[in-house]
């Protein structure tokens, strides 16, 4: 199953696979998604099975716009204003679910639903041609690095493609990091997952303040994708590196020639030579995969500022470096 170029014929095929209850991987502006008909129990179960995803981790439903989102989620005035101000873009809203509108497996036992309208022509064309919500987590095996190229999706599922029938190729995703997940179900807006849209931008555009959800270990996890090792290459990852050891690969940010031990590096990739955080987000997952392929003892990552999307980059790198649970 090689990635298929996008055209009228492949779009028609993709819609047919979705209607028949199979999975289709497709590009969005953030990362590639592993899509299924959000109303089809079997198809949604196949997402969990194909990804190896724990059944307590709910799935985002992708819609064309707010009108379509209202089929599945209940918007109050504030949520409608946020969607109208920021969609289509890399923002996922957590809202009360419209009872019975989607397969219960999407909700993983909860009463809320995650909806997002992607800013990507191909994703939009697919959703509109399908004329319904497409459930899609990132198109990687659970715990692995999210895919930013169709070739990454193929790499993830080459051994175990389950119900996946088609990978629509849209080239490199534009942003490279997942959407920001914003919980709109309580008075205070909470960011459950840092992502491509940073908090200050969301606040400035919507006029609502948002705080990061502070997880208390004794409470139920609001967004299960938040904890444990995640977004991880197969080798170890070491953060805030200022020197290099023998056999390590370097994930650089800015100038690195001066780095002590640089001659020991088995491979180097630079997230951004000029220190541009958007460019770093674009390259992050691809460079982690490339460096991992060199089989280094460890990927050493230079410090990355916590400004803007740098917060989400650091969040992903922290999870990539966390002790592995599997
Ligand atoms: O950019 C993205 O968001 C990509 C593209 C494909 O859209 N999708 C993505 O999906 O990253 P996934 O499944 O890898 O991550 C979705 C996150 C998970 O952390 C999940 O726990 C959380 O959203 N989530 C989904 N439904 C939720 C809900 N009802 N309440 C709280 N968190 C939810
Ligand atoms: Mg994911």
């Amino acid at each position: 199953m090689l990635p298929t170029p996008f055209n009228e014929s492949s779009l028609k095929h993709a819609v047919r696979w979705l209607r028949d209850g199979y999975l289709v991987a497709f590009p969005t502006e953030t990362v590639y998604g592993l899509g299924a008909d959000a109303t089809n129990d079997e198809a949604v179960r196949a997402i969990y099975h194909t990804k190896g995803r724990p059944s307590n981790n709910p799935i985002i439903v992708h819609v064309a716009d707010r009108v379509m989102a209202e089929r599945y989620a209940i918007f109050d005035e504030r949520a409608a204003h946020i969607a109208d101000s920021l969609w289509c873009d890399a923002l996922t809203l957590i809202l009360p679910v419209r009872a019975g509108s989607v397969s219960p497996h999407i909700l993983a036992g909860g009463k809320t639903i995650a909806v997002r309208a992607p800013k990507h022509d191909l994703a939009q064309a697919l959703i509109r041609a399908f004329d319904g919500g497409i459930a899609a987590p990132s198109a990687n095996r659970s715990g692995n690095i999210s895919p930013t190229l169709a070739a990454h999706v193929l790499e993830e599922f080459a051994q175990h493609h389950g119900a996946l029938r088609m990978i629509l190729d849209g080239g490199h995703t534009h942003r490279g990091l997942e959407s920001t997940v914003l919980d709109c179900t309580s008075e205070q807006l909470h960011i459950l997952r840092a992502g491509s849209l940073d908090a200050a931008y969301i606040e400035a555009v919507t006029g609502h303040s948002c705080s990061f959800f502070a997880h208390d270990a004794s409470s139920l996890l609001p967004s299960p994708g938040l904890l444990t090792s995640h977004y991880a290459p197969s080798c170890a990852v070491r953060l805030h590196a200022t020197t290099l050891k023998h056999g390590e690969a370097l994930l650089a940010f800015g100038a690195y020639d001066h780095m002590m031990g640089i001659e020991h590096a088995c491979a180097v990739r630079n997230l951004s030579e000029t220190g541009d955080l958007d460019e770093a987000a674009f390259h992050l997952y691809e460079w982690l995969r490339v460096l991992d392929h060199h089989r280094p003892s460890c990927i050493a990552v230079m410090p990355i500022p916590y400004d803007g999307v740098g917060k989400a980059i650091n969040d992903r790198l922290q999870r990539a470096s966390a002790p592995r649970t599997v």
Side-chain angles (χ1 to χ4, degrees):
M1 182 197 24
L2 290 173
T4 314
F6 178 71
N7 52 41
E8 227 169 272
S9 151
S10 57
L11 181 65
K12 262 192 204 145
H13 277 102
V15 169
R16 197 164 320 138
W17 284 125
L18 290 173
R19 291 211 195 293
D20 288 348
Y22 291 98
L23 309 184
V24 171
F26 63 98
T28 77
E29 77 279 30
T30 59
V31 299
Y32 276 74
L34 185 65
D37 177 353
T39 64
N40 182 326
D41 273 355
E42 280 299 310
V44 176
R45 265 211 295 263
I47 291 182
Y48 285 95
H49 177 72
T50 305
K51 261 188 79 101
R53 185 182 181 94
S55 59
N56 67 348
N57 195 356
I59 296 174
I60 300 172
V61 175
H62 294 68
V63 293
D65 51 26
R66 178 158 72 84
V67 174
M68 189 185 281
E70 302 235 18
R71 296 189 206 169
Y72 311 107
I74 298 166
F75 284 73
D76 59 15
E77 213 174 296
R78 180 183 65 177
H81 175 242
I82 293 172
D84 293 345
S85 313
L86 287 165
W87 278 359
C88 305
D89 214 338
L91 178 69
T92 295
L93 301 179
I94 307 296
L95 296 167
V97 66
R98 211 171 275 287
S101 63
V102 290
S103 161
H105 301 298
I106 285 187
L107 314 174
K111 291 189 167 67
T112 62
I113 187 167
V115 282
R116 130 166 161 80
K119 183 186 186 176
H120 192 288
D121 291 349
L122 207 161
Q124 280 285 334
L126 182 65
I127 297 163
R128 287 180 191 278
F130 182 64
D131 190 24
I134 299 181
S138 51
N140 51 277
R141 298 272 301 159
S142 193
N144 287 2
I145 302 170
S146 300
T148 53
L149 282 169
H152 297 163
V153 181
L154 187 63
E155 183 176 285
E156 288 292 312
F157 299 107
Q159 304 296 325
H160 174 85
H161 55 80
L164 176 61
R165 287 294 176 278
M166 195 174 192
I167 302 170
L168 284 172
D169 193 346
H172 202 297
T173 60
H174 310 146
R175 290 187 182 271
L177 261 193
E178 295 86 350
S179 62
T180 304
V181 178
L182 183 67
D183 185 350
C184 305
T185 59
S186 51
E187 202 176 316
Q188 171 64 49
L189 295 173
H190 286 124
I191 292 183
L192 302 186
R193 176 179 72 179
S196 281
L197 293 199
D198 103 88
Y201 176 74
I202 298 173
E203 289 181 344
V205 174
T206 65
H208 296 290
S209 78
C210 2
S211 57
F212 278 86
F213 181 81
H215 174 61
D216 159 8
S218 64
S219 69
L220 265 179
L221 205 54
S223 199
L226 279 177
L227 258 199
T228 69
S229 161
H230 216 94
Y231 313 102
S234 58
C235 68
V237 175
R238 183 166 72 81
L239 304 184
H240 311 299
T242 49
T243 60
L244 266 192
K245 297 176 200 145
H246 195 77
E248 287 188 331
L250 176 66
L251 187 58
F253 181 76
Y256 61 86
D257 298 352
H258 61 283
M259 202 169 185
M260 212 204 301
I262 186 66
E263 67 279 10
H264 300 314
C266 71
V268 179
R269 284 293 181 282
N270 201 337
L271 288 171
S272 169
E273 282 176 21
T274 58
D276 181 304
L277 287 166
D278 289 326
E279 189 189 353
F282 178 87
H283 288 307
L284 178 68
Y285 289 144
E286 186 179 4
W287 289 170
L288 281 173
R289 275 179 195 270
V290 168
L291 294 178
D292 199 25
H293 286 160
H294 285 267
R295 298 273 167 251
S297 55
C298 177
I299 298 176
V301 187
M302 283 170 68
I304 295 169
Y306 278 75
D307 309 330
V309 74
K311 208 174 267 178
I313 295 174
N314 278 293
D315 168 86
R316 301 305 188 274
L317 285 168
Q318 251 142 34
R319 289 175 213 285
S321 68
R324 307 294 156 83
T325 48
V326 282

